[in-house]
Amino acid sequence: QKEVEQNSGPLSVPEGAIASLNCTYSDRGSQSFFWYRQYSGKSPELIMFIYSNGDKEDGRFTAQLNKASQYVSLLIRDSQPSDSATYLCAVTDSSASKIIFGSGTRLSIRP
Amino acid sequence: EPEVTQTPSHQVTQMGQEVILRCVPISNHLYFYWYRQILGQKVEFLVSFYNNEISEKSEIFDDQFSVERPDGSNFTLKIRSTKLEDSAMYFCASSESSRGVGYTFGSGTRLTVV
């Protein structure tokens, strides 16, 4: 069974601080890695995707991928109250025909 | 920003009835998907579709489910005889490539089976 594991949280971070979200995956053949943000009752919204080992930065967000450790992370700098949501880690499986989601980490930014 | 459009946003149906959920993927995307999310649970893959045929389907996607691309723009999910446990948010998604480039979700259809 291919799995994506995340700490369910909640993770509470003060406004302006760095939020760090982590994810591990079981399928070594996974090719693409995604972070989605999901507000309650809404659809997943793509924040970042990463294919290669290392860091990828986009504004306040940095995704980090370590394929050897099967580990993906998301850093959110200068956290804002609007960043409070559930963050879903997702990976394509080795056939790349679908995305497998983790159960999500609830992030709460306290003013 | 291109969008994946889903209709209706909310569907209430009686157990045993057939429902069709509709999606209009992003126009230049070639790969189409359906996912569902039962309240409080993780997003689950149902089916992927490429070149007018199913690429892969999950165990959830049994004989009660079918997908179709009836024309050049729509992508539908049909549930033939709904059960109470089919109540969930159903998300359509599309992408440019098999690697997931531009993987975008629609806003979802909330299906309530009573």
Side-chain angles (χ1 to χ4, degrees):
Chain A
Q1 181 79 3
K2 296 165 186 175
E3 297 285 345
V4 177
E5 299 290 339
Q6 296 181 255
N7 189 322
S8 62
L11 175 64
S12 181
V13 172
E15 184 175 356
I18 295 175
S20 178
L21 304 163
N22 305 311
C23 169
T24 59
Y25 60 94
S26 63
D27 184 358
R28 284 200 170 271
S30 295
Q31 301 179 30
S32 304
F33 307 86
F34 306 84
W35 282 100
Y36 285 87
R37 177 172 62 198
Q38 187 176 34
Y39 295 110
S40 181
K42 303 296 185 182
S43 66
E45 173 192 0
L46 182 65
I47 298 173
M48 297 280 293
F49 62 90
I50 186 168
Y51 305 134
S52 305
N53 275 328
D55 295 1
K56 180 180 179 182
E57 186 175 319
D58 184 359
R60 296 187 296 113
F61 300 95
T62 299
Q64 299 172 316
L65 173 61
N66 183 326
K67 290 187 179 179
S69 301
Q70 296 175 246
Y71 176 86
V72 195
S73 66
L74 179 71
L75 299 178
I76 307 174
R77 289 180 297 281
D78 189 23
S79 297
Q80 303 296 310
S82 59
D83 294 327
S84 297
T86 297
Y87 288 79
L88 308 178
C89 175
V91 308
T92 55
D93 68 348
S94 49
S95 69
S97 62
K98 65 179 181 286
I99 282 181
I100 302 167
F101 282 85
S103 55
T105 297
R106 283 183 294 136
L107 175 64
S108 175
I109 307 300
R110 57 183 190 270
Chain B
E1 181 101 19
E3 288 184 342
V4 175
T5 304
Q6 288 188 244
T7 56
S9 57
H10 191 189
Q11 173 99 39
V12 180
T13 188
Q14 289 199 324
M15 192 168 53
Q17 295 296 304
E18 175 184 287
V19 294
I20 297 176
L21 310 183
R22 291 183 166 80
C23 169
V24 178
I26 294 173
S27 60
N28 65 330
H29 284 187
L30 302 176
Y31 297 80
F32 314 115
Y33 314 85
W34 284 101
Y35 290 80
R36 80 171 186 190
Q37 187 176 31
I38 295 171
L39 186 64
Q41 298 186 22
K42 65 171 67 175
V43 178
E44 300 175 290
F45 169 76
L46 292 178
V47 65
S48 58
F49 191 87
Y50 170 70
N51 201 24
N52 284 319
E53 60 183 25
I54 291 174
S55 307
E56 186 170 347
K57 58 184 180 180
S58 72
E59 291 178 354
I60 303 168
F61 194 89
D62 61 21
D63 291 345
Q64 294 300 311
F65 290 86
S66 62
V67 289
E68 194 177 39
R69 189 157 162 80
D71 52 41
S73 59
N74 290 286
F75 180 51
T76 62
L77 174 69
K78 181 192 291 186
I79 309 174
R80 288 190 185 80
S81 178
T82 50
K83 302 186 284 286
L84 294 176
E85 54 264 38
D86 293 328
S87 296
M89 282 288 284
Y90 288 80
F91 297 112
C92 175
S94 68
S95 67
E96 292 178 34
S97 77
S98 61
R99 290 194 75 188
V101 174
Y103 211 113
T104 304
F105 281 79
S107 55
T109 293
R110 179 172 299 283
L111 177 65
T112 303
V113 183
V114 297

